[in-house]
Short mmCIF file of all heavy atoms in Angstrom, two decimals:
data_model
loop_
_atom_site.label_atom_id
_atom_site.label_comp_id
_atom_site.label_asym_id
_atom_site.label_seq_id
_atom_site.Cartn_x
_atom_site.Cartn_y
_atom_site.Cartn_z
N MET A 1 0.83 -1.19 0.00
CA MET A 1 0.00 0.00 0.00
C MET A 1 0.87 1.25 0.00
O MET A 1 0.59 2.21 -0.70
CB MET A 1 -0.92 -0.06 1.22
CG MET A 1 -1.79 1.12 1.35
SD MET A 1 -3.20 0.94 0.26
CE MET A 1 -4.35 1.93 1.09
N VAL A 9 1.75 10.21 -4.66
CA VAL A 9 2.31 11.48 -4.17
C VAL A 9 3.37 12.00 -5.14
O VAL A 9 3.40 13.19 -5.46
CB VAL A 9 2.89 11.31 -2.75
CG1 VAL A 9 3.68 12.54 -2.34
CG2 VAL A 9 1.78 11.05 -1.75
N GLY A 19 -0.65 29.17 -12.28
CA GLY A 19 -1.70 29.36 -13.27
C GLY A 19 -1.49 30.52 -14.23
O GLY A 19 -2.33 30.77 -15.08
N LYS A 20 -0.38 31.23 -14.11
CA LYS A 20 -0.12 32.36 -15.02
C LYS A 20 0.47 31.84 -16.32
O LYS A 20 1.19 30.85 -16.33
CB LYS A 20 0.82 33.36 -14.37
CG LYS A 20 0.22 34.03 -13.16
CD LYS A 20 1.13 35.08 -12.61
CE LYS A 20 0.47 35.74 -11.40
NZ LYS A 20 1.27 36.81 -10.87
N CYS A 24 2.65 35.50 -24.92
CA CYS A 24 2.78 34.88 -26.24
C CYS A 24 1.94 33.61 -26.37
O CYS A 24 1.71 33.14 -27.48
CB CYS A 24 4.24 34.60 -26.56
SG CYS A 24 4.97 33.30 -25.55
N ALA A 25 1.44 33.08 -25.26
CA ALA A 25 0.63 31.86 -25.31
C ALA A 25 -0.70 32.07 -26.01
O ALA A 25 -1.35 31.11 -26.41
CB ALA A 25 0.40 31.33 -23.89
N SER A 26 -1.10 33.31 -26.20
CA SER A 26 -2.37 33.59 -26.88
C SER A 26 -2.18 33.91 -28.36
O SER A 26 -3.16 34.14 -29.06
CB SER A 26 -3.09 34.75 -26.18
OG SER A 26 -2.30 35.91 -26.21
N ILE A 31 -0.25 28.91 -30.73
CA ILE A 31 -1.30 27.95 -30.40
C ILE A 31 -1.33 26.81 -31.41
O ILE A 31 -1.42 25.64 -31.05
CB ILE A 31 -2.68 28.64 -30.30
CG1 ILE A 31 -2.70 29.60 -29.10
CG2 ILE A 31 -3.81 27.62 -30.22
CD1 ILE A 31 -3.90 30.52 -29.06
N ASP A 34 1.70 24.63 -30.85
CA ASP A 34 1.53 23.88 -29.61
C ASP A 34 0.58 22.72 -29.81
O ASP A 34 0.84 21.60 -29.36
CB ASP A 34 1.02 24.82 -28.50
CG ASP A 34 1.18 24.24 -27.12
OD1 ASP A 34 2.28 23.76 -26.79
OD2 ASP A 34 0.20 24.30 -26.34
N LYS A 36 -0.02 21.24 -32.66
CA LYS A 36 0.67 20.29 -33.54
C LYS A 36 1.63 19.42 -32.73
O LYS A 36 1.71 18.20 -32.94
CB LYS A 36 1.43 21.06 -34.64
CG LYS A 36 2.26 20.20 -35.55
CD LYS A 36 1.41 19.33 -36.44
CE LYS A 36 2.30 18.56 -37.42
NZ LYS A 36 1.54 17.69 -38.27
N ARG A 41 2.95 14.18 -30.49
CA ARG A 41 3.26 13.40 -29.29
C ARG A 41 2.26 12.24 -29.14
O ARG A 41 2.65 11.10 -28.87
CB ARG A 41 3.18 14.31 -28.07
CG ARG A 41 4.19 13.98 -27.02
CD ARG A 41 4.12 14.92 -25.85
NE ARG A 41 4.31 16.30 -26.24
CZ ARG A 41 3.87 17.35 -25.58
NH1 ARG A 41 3.22 17.21 -24.46
NH2 ARG A 41 4.10 18.57 -26.01
N THR A 42 0.99 12.53 -29.33
CA THR A 42 -0.04 11.51 -29.22
C THR A 42 0.14 10.43 -30.28
O THR A 42 0.04 9.23 -29.99
CB THR A 42 -1.44 12.14 -29.35
OG1 THR A 42 -1.59 13.12 -28.32
CG2 THR A 42 -2.54 11.11 -29.24
N MET A 46 0.88 6.41 -29.76
CA MET A 46 -0.03 5.41 -30.33
C MET A 46 0.64 4.56 -31.41
O MET A 46 0.03 3.62 -31.92
CB MET A 46 -1.26 6.11 -30.89
CG MET A 46 -2.09 6.78 -29.82
SD MET A 46 -3.49 7.70 -30.49
CE MET A 46 -4.46 6.36 -31.15
N ALA A 48 1.55 5.70 -34.36
CA ALA A 48 1.11 6.15 -35.68
C ALA A 48 2.10 7.12 -36.33
O ALA A 48 1.87 7.56 -37.45
CB ALA A 48 -0.26 6.81 -35.57
N GLU A 60 9.57 23.48 -34.84
CA GLU A 60 8.54 24.41 -35.30
C GLU A 60 7.92 25.15 -34.11
O GLU A 60 7.66 26.35 -34.18
CB GLU A 60 7.45 23.64 -36.05
CG GLU A 60 6.39 24.53 -36.63
CD GLU A 60 5.36 23.75 -37.45
OE1 GLU A 60 5.74 22.76 -38.11
OE2 GLU A 60 4.18 24.15 -37.42
N GLY A 65 7.15 30.71 -31.49
CA GLY A 65 6.82 31.31 -30.21
C GLY A 65 7.28 30.54 -28.99
O GLY A 65 7.22 31.05 -27.88
N GLU A 72 9.54 33.85 -21.20
CA GLU A 72 8.53 34.53 -20.40
C GLU A 72 8.11 33.69 -19.19
O GLU A 72 7.91 34.22 -18.09
CB GLU A 72 7.30 34.86 -21.24
CG GLU A 72 7.54 35.97 -22.25
CD GLU A 72 6.30 36.29 -23.08
OE1 GLU A 72 5.17 36.14 -22.56
OE2 GLU A 72 6.47 36.69 -24.24
N ASN A 74 9.94 31.46 -17.62
CA ASN A 74 11.03 31.50 -16.64
C ASN A 74 10.99 32.80 -15.85
O ASN A 74 11.22 32.80 -14.63
CB ASN A 74 12.39 31.34 -17.33
CG ASN A 74 12.65 29.91 -17.74
OD1 ASN A 74 12.10 28.97 -17.16
ND2 ASN A 74 13.48 29.72 -18.74
N THR A 75 10.68 33.91 -16.51
CA THR A 75 10.57 35.20 -15.82
C THR A 75 9.42 35.17 -14.81
O THR A 75 9.57 35.65 -13.68
CB THR A 75 10.36 36.33 -16.84
OG1 THR A 75 11.48 36.35 -17.74
CG2 THR A 75 10.25 37.67 -16.14
N ILE A 76 8.29 34.59 -15.21
CA ILE A 76 7.14 34.49 -14.31
C ILE A 76 7.51 33.67 -13.08
O ILE A 76 7.24 34.07 -11.94
CB ILE A 76 5.93 33.87 -15.04
CG1 ILE A 76 5.36 34.85 -16.06
CG2 ILE A 76 4.85 33.44 -14.04
CD1 ILE A 76 4.33 34.24 -17.00
N GLU A 78 10.51 32.95 -11.84
CA GLU A 78 11.52 33.63 -11.03
C GLU A 78 10.91 34.73 -10.18
O GLU A 78 11.32 34.95 -9.05
CB GLU A 78 12.62 34.20 -11.92
CG GLU A 78 13.54 33.15 -12.50
CD GLU A 78 14.49 33.70 -13.54
OE1 GLU A 78 14.55 34.94 -13.72
OE2 GLU A 78 15.17 32.89 -14.19
#
Side-chain angles (χ1 to χ4, degrees):
M1 179 81 154
V9 170
K20 295 185 179 183
C24 69
S26 60
I31 293 169
D34 196 49
K36 176 69 175 178
R41 216 179 302 156
T42 301
M46 295 177 66
E60 184 177 325
E72 289 180 31
N74 284 335
T75 301
I76 289 170
E78 287 171 8

